[in-house]
Amino acid sequence: MLDKLPPEAKTWAEKLHWKERRYLLSICHLLCAAAPETQAQFLDQYTADGLIGKIIQDYETQTKIKNHFKSFHIDTELNPQVLRKNIKQFYIHSAQDVRREPAKYLESALRLVTSPEEKNYVLNYILGFELIKLIFKMSWLQQERFYSLQHNQEEFFNAYIKPIQYTHRLNGIVNPKDSNLFFAQRSYFVQKPNLSDRKTTELVMVTFTTDTVSNLGFSIVRNIRPVPFDYDYIYQPEEERIFC
């Protein structure tokens, strides 16, 4: 098991005296026995300051994220307060993922502090999360315009739009009643969801896993899967298109 640790951690663990090893084992036992939400709270309190310090030093990646925020018209600022909030949110989100992928929680959470490169995971997570929040607050017509701009429309729709619309339906945010009737369709299709920022955050966390969110941000930052965005086209008044 120790062989799976980073070399520095393995050396440190092997040099501990028996009394110190008991303390380490006690912490491991308490952490593993705790509920996921308690684990999330502990990890946030124990690691947030160090992670924030590493992220602040990574000016290049920060700049990329900020530029993408600007291109998507996202107003979020990457200051220490926002970073701390998102690190805590990441741990809570990971804890919720336990219900879907139990073995992934500690793996995804602890890798943030065992590898210097994983600080980018948080920044990618923040970018992906903010973009998904943006889509959650769009009307279905605006979502249609957005995914129509993508290079692989079907993949983008199935990965992001379809789960969001399912959550809209499930939570009664958008009710496509009598959707085959034109005027009924227009009523729900152009209806912009009335969602607070807190509610949107909760819905994103129950709809998508942390890996899905972070992978979206990673693909954008690394230009693996560009996400074209035309603000004027997406947010043009509905009447200009719906009656064309």
Side-chain angles (χ1 to χ4, degrees), residues 108-154:
S108 63
L110 291 176
R111 71 185 181 188
L112 296 183
V113 294
T114 58
S115 172
E117 292 76 21
E118 290 297 342
K119 63 182 181 299
N120 292 341
Y121 192 90
V122 175
L123 288 169
N124 295 334
Y125 172 83
I126 294 172
L127 174 58
F129 202 96
E130 291 295 327
L131 179 56
I132 292 175
K133 279 174 59 179
L134 187 72
I135 303 173
F136 250 103
K137 293 183 178 182
M138 290 180 181
S139 69
W140 285 17
L141 175 59
Q142 291 166 344
Q143 291 175 0
E144 181 184 83
R145 293 172 183 169
F146 187 22
Y147 80 76
S148 72
L149 297 172
Q150 308 311 307
H151 302 300
N152 192 329
Q153 296 177 11
E154 183 178 2

Side-chain angles (χ1 to χ4, degrees), residues 44-99:
D44 170 56
Q45 293 172 345
Y46 202 65
T47 66
D49 290 337
L51 280 172
I52 290 171
K54 289 180 180 180
I55 292 170
I56 290 175
Q57 293 172 11
D58 189 353
Y59 180 77
E60 181 181 353
T61 306
Q62 273 197 82
T63 301
K64 288 181 180 179
I65 299 294
K66 289 177 180 177
N67 288 338
H68 285 298
F69 277 169
K70 185 176 181 181
S71 68
F72 291 123
H73 291 250
I74 294 172
D75 297 329
T76 301
E77 296 183 15
L78 288 179
N79 55 47
Q81 292 75 27
V82 170
L83 289 172
R84 174 174 285 280
K85 175 184 175 183
N86 279 274
I87 289 171
K88 182 176 183 179
Q89 176 184 294
F90 168 80
Y91 285 131
I92 294 172
H93 194 169
S94 296
Q96 291 187 2
D97 286 350
V98 170
R99 299 176 182 88

